CSV table of all heavy atoms in Angstrom, one decimal:
chain,number,residue,atom,x,y,z
A,48,TYR,N,-70.4,25.1,-88.1
A,48,TYR,CA,-70.5,25.4,-89.6
A,48,TYR,C,-69.3,26.4,-89.9
A,48,TYR,O,-68.7,26.2,-91.0
A,48,TYR,CB,-71.8,26.1,-89.9
A,48,TYR,CG,-72.0,26.3,-91.4
A,48,TYR,CD1,-72.1,25.3,-92.3
A,48,TYR,CD2,-71.9,27.6,-91.9
A,48,TYR,CE1,-72.3,25.5,-93.7
A,48,TYR,CE2,-72.0,27.9,-93.2
A,48,TYR,CZ,-72.2,26.8,-94.1
A,48,TYR,OH,-72.2,27.1,-95.5
A,49,ASN,N,-69.1,27.4,-89.1
A,49,ASN,CA,-68.0,28.3,-89.4
A,49,ASN,C,-66.6,27.6,-89.4
A,49,ASN,O,-65.8,27.9,-90.3
A,49,ASN,CB,-67.9,29.5,-88.4
A,49,ASN,CG,-69.1,30.4,-88.6
A,49,ASN,OD1,-69.7,30.5,-89.7
A,49,ASN,ND2,-69.4,31.2,-87.5
A,50,LYS,N,-66.4,26.7,-88.5
A,50,LYS,CA,-65.2,25.9,-88.5
A,50,LYS,C,-65.1,25.0,-89.7
A,50,LYS,O,-64.0,24.9,-90.3
A,50,LYS,CB,-65.1,25.0,-87.2
A,50,LYS,CG,-64.9,25.8,-85.9
A,50,LYS,CD,-64.8,24.8,-84.8
A,50,LYS,CE,-64.5,25.5,-83.5
A,50,LYS,NZ,-64.3,24.6,-82.3
A,51,TYR,N,-66.2,24.5,-90.1
A,51,TYR,CA,-66.2,23.6,-91.3
A,51,TYR,C,-65.9,24.4,-92.6
A,51,TYR,O,-65.1,24.0,-93.4
A,51,TYR,CB,-67.6,23.0,-91.4
A,51,TYR,CG,-67.9,22.3,-92.7
A,51,TYR,CD1,-67.3,21.1,-93.0
A,51,TYR,CD2,-68.9,22.8,-93.6
A,51,TYR,CE1,-67.6,20.4,-94.1
A,51,TYR,CE2,-69.2,22.1,-94.7
A,51,TYR,CZ,-68.5,20.9,-95.0
A,51,TYR,OH,-68.8,20.2,-96.2
A,52,VAL,N,-66.5,25.6,-92.7
A,52,VAL,CA,-66.2,26.4,-93.9
A,52,VAL,C,-64.7,26.8,-93.9
A,52,VAL,O,-64.1,26.8,-94.9
A,52,VAL,CB,-67.1,27.6,-93.9
A,52,VAL,CG1,-66.7,28.7,-94.9
A,52,VAL,CG2,-68.6,27.2,-94.1
A,53,GLU,N,-64.2,27.2,-92.7
A,53,GLU,CA,-62.9,27.7,-92.6
A,53,GLU,C,-61.9,26.5,-92.9
A,53,GLU,O,-60.9,26.8,-93.7
A,53,GLU,CB,-62.6,28.1,-91.2
A,53,GLU,CG,-61.3,28.9,-91.0
A,53,GLU,CD,-61.3,29.6,-89.6
A,53,GLU,OE1,-61.8,29.0,-88.6
A,53,GLU,OE2,-60.8,30.7,-89.6
A,54,LEU,N,-62.1,25.3,-92.4
A,54,LEU,CA,-61.2,24.2,-92.7
A,54,LEU,C,-61.3,23.9,-94.2
A,54,LEU,O,-60.2,23.6,-94.8
A,54,LEU,CB,-61.6,23.0,-91.9
A,54,LEU,CG,-60.6,21.8,-92.1
A,54,LEU,CD1,-59.2,22.2,-91.6
A,54,LEU,CD2,-61.1,20.6,-91.3
A,55,ASN,N,-62.5,23.9,-94.8
A,55,ASN,CA,-62.6,23.7,-96.3
A,55,ASN,C,-61.8,24.8,-97.0
A,55,ASN,O,-61.1,24.5,-98.0
A,55,ASN,CB,-64.0,23.7,-96.7
A,55,ASN,CG,-64.7,22.4,-96.6
A,55,ASN,OD1,-64.0,21.3,-96.6
A,55,ASN,ND2,-66.0,22.3,-96.4
A,56,TYR,N,-61.9,26.0,-96.6
A,56,TYR,CA,-61.1,27.1,-97.2
A,56,TYR,C,-59.6,26.8,-97.2
A,56,TYR,O,-58.9,26.9,-98.1
A,56,TYR,CB,-61.5,28.4,-96.5
A,56,TYR,CG,-60.6,29.6,-97.0
A,56,TYR,CD1,-60.8,30.2,-98.2
A,56,TYR,CD2,-59.5,30.0,-96.2
A,56,TYR,CE1,-60.0,31.3,-98.6
A,56,TYR,CE2,-58.7,31.1,-96.5
A,56,TYR,CZ,-59.0,31.7,-97.7
A,56,TYR,OH,-58.2,32.8,-98.1
A,57,LEU,N,-59.1,26.5,-96.0
A,57,LEU,CA,-57.7,26.2,-95.8
A,57,LEU,C,-57.3,25.0,-96.6
A,57,LEU,O,-56.2,25.0,-97.3
A,57,LEU,CB,-57.4,25.8,-94.3
A,57,LEU,CG,-57.5,27.0,-93.3
A,57,LEU,CD1,-57.4,26.4,-91.9
A,57,LEU,CD2,-56.6,28.1,-93.6
A,58,ASN,N,-58.1,24.0,-96.7
A,58,ASN,CA,-57.8,22.8,-97.4
A,58,ASN,C,-57.8,23.1,-98.9
A,58,ASN,O,-56.9,22.6,-99.6
A,58,ASN,CB,-58.9,21.7,-97.2
A,58,ASN,CG,-58.5,20.3,-97.7
A,58,ASN,OD1,-57.3,20.0,-97.8
A,58,ASN,ND2,-59.5,19.5,-98.0
A,59,ASN,N,-58.7,23.9,-99.4
A,59,ASN,CA,-58.7,24.2,-100.8
A,59,ASN,C,-57.5,25.1,-101.2
A,59,ASN,O,-57.0,25.1,-102.4
A,59,ASN,CB,-60.0,25.0,-101.2
A,59,ASN,CG,-61.2,24.1,-101.2
A,59,ASN,OD1,-61.1,22.8,-101.3
A,59,ASN,ND2,-62.4,24.6,-101.0
A,60,LYS,N,-57.0,25.9,-100.3
A,60,LYS,CA,-55.8,26.7,-100.5
A,60,LYS,C,-54.5,25.9,-100.3
A,60,LYS,O,-53.4,26.4,-100.6
A,60,LYS,CB,-55.8,27.9,-99.6
A,60,LYS,CG,-56.8,29.0,-100.0
A,60,LYS,CD,-56.5,30.3,-99.4
A,60,LYS,CE,-55.5,31.0,-100.3
A,60,LYS,NZ,-55.3,32.4,-100.0
Side-chain angles (χ1 to χ4, degrees):
Y48 182 74
N49 289 339
K50 288 182 179 185
Y51 171 68
V52 169
E53 192 168 38
L54 186 62
N55 275 333
Y56 171 79
L57 294 174
N58 193 27
N59 290 337
K60 288 198 86 169

